[in-house]
Amino acid sequence: MDLSGPARWWLISLKVFFLFLLQLAVLLPVWLVTDPTQTQQVVLIIVMLLPYVIYPIIWAVGILFDVFLVEDWFTPTEVYVVGTLAGTILPAAVLTPKYFHLNVPDVVLECILAFIILLPSVWIPLLAGYAWAPVVVAQRIDQKDIQQKMLTPASAESPLPREPSGASPSTEDAERREMRWIVMGLVAFVSFPLGFFVPLYLGTDPNAGGSSTMVFLTLLAHLIAFQYIVAPRLGLFGHIWLKSSSSTDVPEAVFKLLYGGAMLPTVILLPLYLHTSMHIEAQKTLLFFLLGLPPVYVLEAVRTSHRANLAQLPVSLAMVYFGLVMPVGVLLPAWLAAEPDSTGQAVFLSFMLAPVTVCLLFALVFTAFYEARLPFVPLDALLREHADNTVATYSYAVSLSVAPVVVLLPTYFEGDLADTPKLITISFMGILTGILIVMFVVSRCRGGTAGPTSTAASVPNLPFASRGGHSQAPSQPTAVSRGLFGNVTMGNTAGMAAASFNAAQQESRTDSVSPGLNYGDNDNSLLDTPGMMMPSLSPTDFAEPVQQQDTRLHGRSASVKSEVWQGWEVGMRCLALHGASGALYAATIRTLDWDKRTATVDWDRADFQPERVPMSKMYDNEEPAEPDDAVAI
């Protein structure tokens, strides 16, 4: 349909009439001059406000089913202006005061209330579609450019900048598709609960089965839309806003935990359960979601944040489940519902606190023998490059160490417990506090507070390094062991001299060289494959001092004196330490910050986000490598 010339002016005239003139110049004066009856008042309200509902519905039909070209009928400026007025200002500043202060029959008030609920629910998807789609598509285009740059040799890259002549047809199609997904997701997330379920529930009197089904389907559609459409895009916006996070996983996990695990159950479902009158079956359905969402979304947040480190996921899920979900999400509600006697209280306390104690004991063992930085993994995931901040590190350690006292001491004095449960409570408080203090002290002694596991893992001038330990001095006795998650670690144990491999002995160990990514004929890296046994090493395996170790790895990075090579340039190829995996991957330098001695690199792997890496963790990559090849640290 051609909307150029007179047709466009006719369309604009119709919009102005039905959105402004009809209400202000026709219907409102009729209401004020005449004395309409109850039915006439309802009709006037519907005729006045219905165009503001039809407008976004027509737009949604066009964007979802391609019945017409949306850009010809609606402009972004028009949508923003009308949407702000009709979707926010009209229901909040005009209709809501009228609902509370007008002296009209109840049926008129119910009609006003229906539009107060309906207008935001139909306008939010439209406004969000226009606001979100360009941002999401632009981010995806940037990622595509990064991947294309990774696949293009540095010498073949074109210095020409991207043309600033507006969006291409492919970009417009991508924005339209993205807008379609956003609209469908927000219709299920917002419009269906507010614009359909609430008016239907308030306007009808469903039986027990009908009300329970309505509650279940509404919450199910709401959660599915949040899980697969809303939360990933909120994570993308959090990633753009924070800038320091190397991926969208952690912001997405935070949004899922805050909304699905906290806000939805406590701010929305709990008041509905306590203060609304509904059938007992509907209340049970509401209670099912109210109690089930927090533990489910705690586990979902853990799963989402571990997408880039699946090897660590089973251990993290087990610790979170037995240390948090089972005692707080399962046993505590059962205690509150059962109101047990002294024996029951002792049993509940034992089952609640024993899994936490066992998890902390396992964490203490792993910290002592495998992962020195293990207690600080949550802090590293939140702070990324800034996780080596001394104040944040010690504040985090002190806060977790006193957490059992903060939780269990008030329970001991104010929990209305018998003597035996009180003894169990104070005993577990001492045990948990002691384990936490010992674990942080052990981590500190093993060098676990030197830097974050994710982005500042230590790579000393030795064939192996601890993921978070300090660089070992050449004369310091060390020992090599396999980490908890398949990484090679180094502990401060006696019996092994700190020196590099003899070149001839490197050639004799070709069976343990990581396949794929090679620096030369005699690679000195070990195969970082879970389950592979490390070769037995002795002091005789080290025949040359550290100063003579293979310079192909350290040629353009930290020398034996930990100096930063001054020859790095934007666009150069390198091997850099990937924070999430703790291994070296091929990358291209995007930016350099000589003041902070850091560089932002674009990984060859398509599933890796650009990341800021210390220059001391960057190495020469003279020979091309496959994008998925990694060198174990």
Side-chain angles (χ1 to χ4, degrees):
M1 182 178 179
D2 186 12
L3 291 178
S4 60
R8 179 173 296 276
W9 286 107
W10 275 107
L11 179 62
I12 295 175
S13 302
L14 288 175
K15 290 179 181 178
V16 171
F17 176 77
F18 283 104
L19 295 177
F20 299 102
L21 296 181
L22 177 65
Q23 291 80 7
L24 299 178
V26 179
L27 299 179
L28 187 59
V30 170
W31 186 315
L32 297 176
V33 172
T34 64
D35 186 15
T37 63
Q38 173 180 307
T39 304
Q40 291 173 342
Q41 291 177 358
V42 173
V43 172
L44 285 173
I45 292 174
I46 294 176
V47 175
M48 289 174 65
L49 300 179
L50 193 60
Y52 301 115
V53 178
I54 296 177
Y55 183 103
I57 292 177
I58 294 176
W59 180 90
V61 170
I63 199 69
L64 293 177
F65 303 104
D66 288 330
V67 177
F68 55 86
L69 191 60
V70 174
E71 290 79 2
D72 289 342
W73 289 61
F74 306 94
T75 63
T77 303
E78 171 192 332
V79 169
Y80 284 129
V81 172
V82 179
T84 302
L85 293 175
T88 58
I89 297 178
L90 179 60
V94 178
L95 297 182
T96 301
K98 297 298 182 183
Y99 176 78
F100 287 104
H101 301 295
L102 273 182
N103 186 17
V104 292
D106 292 341
V107 65
V108 179
L109 293 178
E110 292 175 359
C111 183
I112 295 175
L113 178 61
F115 279 100
I116 292 175
I117 298 172
L118 190 61
L119 287 174
S121 67
V122 295
W123 277 101
I124 286 176
L126 190 153
L127 294 174
Y130 269 102
W132 290 10
V135 178
V136 175
V137 172
Q139 183 71 10
R140 290 175 179 171
I141 291 176
D142 290 342
Q143 294 300 320
K144 185 177 179 180
D145 292 343
I146 292 170
Q147 295 173 9
Q148 185 66 31
K149 182 180 177 182
M150 292 177 180
L151 298 176
T152 303
S155 60
E157 290 182 357
S158 173
L160 296 177
R162 185 188 299 176
E163 296 182 1
S165 58
S168 63
S170 59
T171 302
E172 293 178 355
D173 293 339
E175 290 184 2
R176 190 178 296 109
R177 288 192 299 269
E178 177 63 26
M179 200 177 297
R180 184 179 296 119
W181 279 106
I182 293 174
V183 169
M184 288 191 297
L186 290 179
V187 165
F189 183 73
V190 177
S191 302
F192 181 71
L194 292 181
F196 175 76
F197 168 73
V198 174
L200 183 63
Y201 195 90
L202 295 177
T204 62
D205 187 16
N207 56 25
S211 61
S212 178
T213 303
M214 291 173 62
V215 170
F216 178 81
L217 293 179
T218 300
L219 290 176
L220 183 63
H222 183 79
L223 292 173
I224 290 176
F226 174 73
Q227 174 74 16
Y228 295 105
I229 297 180
V230 178
R233 284 155 181 83
L234 292 177
L236 176 64
F237 298 142
H239 164 69
I240 296 173
W241 177 62
L242 292 175
K243 295 182 180 180
S244 62
S245 177
S246 61
S247 71
T248 63
D249 296 339
V250 173
E252 180 182 343
V254 171
F255 279 115
K256 286 181 176 179
L257 185 62
L258 290 178
Y259 182 77
M263 182 177 174
L264 179 60
T266 58
V267 178
I268 300 176
L269 299 185
L270 185 59
L272 288 176
Y273 178 78
L274 296 176
H275 303 296
T276 58
S277 176
M278 59 178 63
H279 294 282
I280 187 65
E281 287 78 6
Q283 285 186 329
K284 290 180 179 179
T285 303
L286 208 60
L287 185 62
F288 168 78
F289 283 98
L290 180 62
L291 298 179
L293 286 178
V296 168
Y297 269 98
V298 168
L299 298 176
E300 172 61 20
V302 174
R303 185 197 68 83
T304 302
S305 62
H306 283 70
R307 284 173 180 163
N309 192 5
L310 295 179
Q312 190 178 349
L313 179 60
V315 176
S316 299
L317 283 177
M319 289 186 174
V320 170
Y321 178 78
F322 290 107
L324 179 63
V325 173
M326 192 173 78
V328 178
V330 178
L331 296 177
L332 182 59
W335 182 338
L336 298 177
E339 298 182 358
D341 56 9
S342 175
T343 304
Q345 290 177 351
V347 172
F348 270 110
L349 282 172
S350 300
F351 276 100
M352 289 173 63
L353 299 177
V356 182
T357 306
V358 172
C359 288
L360 289 180
L361 286 174
F362 274 111
L364 175 60
V365 172
F366 292 143
T367 302
F369 295 102
Y370 297 100
E371 298 285 343
R373 190 68 183 173
L374 181 62
F376 297 93
V377 167
L379 181 68
D380 297 343
L382 290 176
L383 299 184
R384 295 285 179 177
E385 293 91 346
H386 308 288
D388 55 350
N389 184 288
T390 304
V391 175
T393 299
Y394 284 98
S395 299
Y396 169 83
V398 171
S399 300
L400 281 189
S401 299
V402 301
V405 178
V406 173
V407 175
L408 296 179
L409 195 61
T411 305
Y412 176 82
F413 288 106
E414 306 293 339
D416 193 19
L417 302 176
D419 292 339
T420 302
K422 280 189 175 182
L423 180 61
I424 294 175
T425 301
I426 204 68
S427 300
F428 272 108
M429 184 188 73
I431 293 172
L432 293 174
T433 304
I435 293 175
L436 286 169
I437 292 176
V438 172
M439 182 168 60
F440 285 114
V441 170
V442 169
S443 177
R444 178 66 181 90
C445 293
R446 293 194 66 225
T449 57
T453 301
S454 59
T455 56
S458 177
V459 184
N461 297 318
L462 293 169
F464 314 103
S466 173
R467 293 185 62 192
H470 287 291
S471 299
Q472 306 293 334
S475 61
Q476 189 173 358
T478 59
V480 178
S481 60
R482 178 157 292 279
L484 171 62
F485 309 121
N487 302 304
V488 178
T489 61
M490 178 178 293
N492 298 332
T493 57
M496 187 171 294
S500 63
F501 281 120
N502 182 283
Q505 291 170 334
Q506 295 178 33
E507 296 177 352
S508 66
R509 288 202 178 94
T510 57
D511 59 328
S512 62
V513 173
S514 179
L517 186 57
N518 297 317
Y519 308 134
D521 296 331
N522 301 325
D523 194 353
N524 64 349
S525 61
L526 292 179
L527 179 61
D528 188 23
T529 303
M532 173 168 287
M533 298 299 294
M534 293 295 299
S536 177
L537 303 178
S538 64
T540 59
D541 291 330
F542 303 94
E544 296 178 338
V546 175
Q547 287 79 357
Q548 302 298 325
Q549 83 170 345
D550 195 347
T551 58
R552 282 168 297 183
L553 180 61
H554 297 275
R556 292 183 179 176
S557 181
S559 66
V560 296
K561 298 180 181 180
S562 298
E563 296 177 352
V564 175
W565 189 62
Q566 302 295 321
W568 291 118
E569 296 179 358
V570 174
M572 290 184 63
R573 301 280 295 163
C574 67
L575 287 168
L577 184 71
H578 183 251
S581 61
L584 295 175
Y585 283 90
T588 303
I589 299 176
R590 177 195 283 190
T591 62
L592 292 168
D593 188 343
W594 289 104
D595 294 334
K596 297 182 179 179
R597 294 294 191 268
T598 60
T600 301
V601 299
D602 297 326
W603 305 102
D604 285 8
R605 286 191 55 152
D607 55 336
F608 284 175
Q609 301 288 337
E611 184 174 346
R612 183 182 300 171
V613 180
M615 292 184 184
S616 60
K617 308 300 181 290
M618 293 165 51
Y619 309 96
D620 183 20
N621 185 19
E622 295 179 356
E623 298 187 10
E626 295 296 327
D628 292 341
D629 290 341
V631 177
I633 299 300

